[in-house]
Amino acid sequence: MGILAINVAACGSATAYLIFLGKFPSSLAEFQLQTFDVKVASALAGMSGLLLGASALETLLYGGDQFKQKGPVMQTIELIEKSYTRSEENIVVKDWINEYNDLHKADDPSKRNSKYAKLVNAYYELATQFYEWGWGSSFHFAYRKMGETFGEQIRRHEYYLASFLGGLQPGAKILDVGCGIGGPYRNIARFTGWDITGITINEGQVRRGNELSARQGLGDQCRSVQGDFLALPFDANSFDGVYAIEATCHAPDRRKVYSQILKVLKPGGMFACYEWCLTDKYDPTDEEHKFMKKKVEEGDGLPDIAYTWDVDKALKDVGFEMLHSRDMALDPLQIEPWYLPMCPGWNPFSQRFQLTWFGKLMMNSLLSFFEGICLVPKGTCDIHRMLQQAAVGLSKGGKSGAFTPMYLLVCRKPAK
């Protein structure tokens, strides 16, 4: 039974009991004079009624928006229900988070590189639900321009990347490398009419991506498959275009993932990518910079972080023709930088609120309480703390300019 159904039953039962007794406290003073059973029934009816009212209001506000679909109350309810399902399925989150943290204990990335698939799969097994709850279905950054909402800036960032794949017709076969739960490929498929296949290493993301595509009427146009992008399970020369959005940073060897992309791309086809990179402002002797890098790696499931010139060279080394590269974090006409959502903010209706000291205390206390009553699996609070640390590293990297999540790379497979 879902949380909303439980609240309907609780509200109805408590209200019926109060009607039977003929007692409805109308003020705090009157409430304090009631017997214990009336206090419990009144509190239960009031809290359940507030939750149902908020849910109904959100349905009116967000129900017609195909991109957002749910407001914060409904998103939180869905997060709790999914976490409870993981408990019922005996998914041992505490073991996953402990194993993930063990891989990040050493500063030397060699162990993480050797166990890259395990590291990345564990990370997304842990983090995907929180990503979708706090960010939506497109797991990437974008700066904001004048007049844009958050959803609009995210989609503009995706459409801009897609524009580099050339004048491909509707129905063109496109590959999304490291697709997450498919937010970008659904947006791009609507915009272009392309037939898009997304690949991700995590089975849970495959299920969720295909579920959302079917729900939005795109099940025949785009799909997720499970696989490792270091060994793409597709025939050579099978895609008209390929793109990757903040995904190939998880590869311990850029040359290997780029060579796989080159193999499946048709001759003359375009590859466009947003990469997570260290910039020329990064100083490996600076303790603040080293702290930032470590927090980004720990909080975002990265074996290591490459420099911008490393990825440029890797693409050329495997045989791509490099056409264009630049750090889009430096683009003009921004009114909010990409890292602003990672900075604390005191607006309680913003996801930045949870990054304040009070928001962290509140969320960690709430998740610890839910763990205690077995509503979410043990270890859920540890996942949230891990993601909070990622925000610390990302905001420091963005402010210093030593890190970028949007290093744009545009290249072509030679025609012959």
Side-chain angles (χ1 to χ4, degrees), residues 367-384:
L367 290 172
S368 296
F369 171 71
F370 285 158
E371 283 186 20
I373 62 175
C374 300
L375 195 57
V376 299
K378 299 290 185 184
T380 300
C381 192
D382 292 335
I383 300 170
H384 190 252

Side-chain angles (χ1 to χ4, degrees), residues 169-174 185-198 210 213-214 216-224:
Q169 296 180 351
K173 303 296 183 184
I174 307 297
Y185 73 52
R186 281 187 293 276
N187 291 336
I188 293 171
R190 286 190 197 95
F191 186 64
T192 62
W194 294 340
D195 183 286
I196 305 180
T197 298
N210 288 332
S213 295
Q216 297 176 25
L218 293 167
D220 294 332
Q221 189 181 345
C222 44
R223 77 242 13 114
S224 293

Side-chain angles (χ1 to χ4, degrees), residues 6-7 9-11 13-15 38-50:
I6 292 171
N7 272 272
C11 187
S13 300
T15 302
V38 174
K39 288 180 179 178
V40 171
S42 299
L44 187 59
M47 288 188 294
S48 299
L50 282 173

Side-chain angles (χ1 to χ4, degrees), residues 89 179 341 368:
E89 292 174 351
C179 63
S368 296

Side-chain angles (χ1 to χ4, degrees), residues 60-377:
L60 292 173
L61 290 174
Y62 299 107
D65 186 342
Q66 62 176 330
F67 297 108
K68 190 158 187 178
Q69 295 186 332
K70 295 181 178 67
V73 173
M74 292 299 295
Q75 287 174 335
T76 303
I77 289 172
E78 191 173 76
L79 173 69
I80 294 170
E81 287 179 338
K82 286 179 182 176
S83 298
Y84 182 69
T85 300
R86 298 177 94 185
S87 295
E88 290 186 317
E89 292 174 351
N90 296 318
I91 296 174
V92 187
V93 172
K94 191 69 174 177
D95 291 350
W96 276 95
I97 188 68
N98 287 340
E99 192 169 7
Y100 176 83
N101 287 336
D102 285 343
L103 288 172
H104 270 290
K105 281 182 179 177
D107 289 332
D108 182 1
S110 58
K111 184 178 180 181
R112 299 195 296 275
N113 287 343
S114 66
K115 297 189 176 182
Y116 127 85
K118 189 173 189 178
L119 171 73
V120 176
N121 186 54
Y123 175 76
Y124 281 110
E125 191 70 36
L126 295 167
T128 294
Q129 291 182 12
F130 281 94
Y131 272 16
E132 188 177 0
W133 170 65
W135 205 259
S137 60
S138 292
F139 300 166
H140 63 81
F141 292 102
Y143 57 74
R144 188 158 78 92
K145 292 189 173 185
M146 183 72 71
E148 289 182 330
T149 64
F150 178 76
E152 288 168 346
Q153 74 190 56
I154 288 290
R155 292 192 291 277
R156 185 253 308 147
H157 198 61
E158 295 164 356
Y159 299 156
Y160 183 70
L161 187 71
S163 71
F164 286 106
L165 297 190
L168 298 175
Q169 296 180 351
K173 303 296 183 184
I174 307 297
L175 177 64
D176 179 334
V177 177
C179 63
I181 60 171
Y185 73 52
R186 281 187 293 276
N187 291 336
I188 293 171
R190 286 190 197 95
F191 186 64
T192 62
W194 294 340
D195 183 286
I196 305 180
T197 298
I199 186 167
T200 173
I201 201 168
N202 183 259
E203 181 184 357
Q205 289 191 334
V206 171
R207 288 197 304 268
R208 182 60 174 162
N210 288 332
E211 173 193 334
L212 291 172
S213 295
R215 183 189 297 177
Q216 297 176 25
L218 293 167
D220 294 332
Q221 189 181 345
C222 44
R223 77 242 13 114
S224 293
V225 298
Q226 186 178 10
D228 185 345
F229 55 36
L230 294 186
L232 289 173
F234 308 111
D235 293 335
N237 307 321
S238 54
F239 290 98
D240 299 300
V242 181
Y243 68 85
I245 300 178
E246 301 182 23
T248 49
C249 53
H250 290 292
D253 184 348
R254 292 299 200 288
R255 286 165 181 79
K256 192 168 183 179
V257 66
Y258 293 157
S259 65
Q260 286 289 299
I261 291 168
L262 185 76
K263 181 192 76 173
V264 302
L265 186 60
K266 291 179 180 179
M270 301 290 292
F271 170 53
C273 176
Y274 291 134
E275 273 282 9
W276 282 30
C277 292
L278 299 174
T279 72
D280 56 6
K281 291 185 178 180
Y282 179 78
D283 180 357
T285 66
D286 186 303
E287 290 301 320
E288 274 290 298
H289 286 193
K290 289 196 291 185
F291 175 82
M292 172 276 293
K293 180 175 181 286
K294 184 65 175 172
K295 289 302 178 184
V296 172
E297 290 168 351
E298 286 180 351
D300 292 286
L302 303 185
D304 200 3
I305 308 177
Y307 284 95
T308 54
W309 54 84
D310 287 334
V311 295
D312 283 343
K313 186 174 186 302
L315 282 164
K316 295 173 185 175
D317 286 349
V318 302
F320 274 110
E321 297 173 356
M322 178 66 74
L323 303 181
H324 177 54
S325 65
R326 78 172 195 275
D327 183 3
M328 286 184 57
L330 304 178
D331 284 1
L333 304 179
Q334 301 180 35
I335 63 168
E336 289 181 358
W338 66 266
Y339 57 83
L340 186 66
M342 297 292 100
C343 301
W346 286 96
N347 179 353
F349 299 104
S350 164
Q351 65 92 208
R352 295 173 58 198
F353 179 73
Q354 64 173 304
L355 300 172
T356 64
W357 68 266
F358 181 74
K360 289 178 181 178
L361 176 65
M362 185 175 67
M363 282 299 298
N364 290 332
S365 299
L366 183 64
L367 290 172
S368 296
F369 171 71
F370 285 158
E371 283 186 20
I373 62 175
C374 300
L375 195 57
V376 299

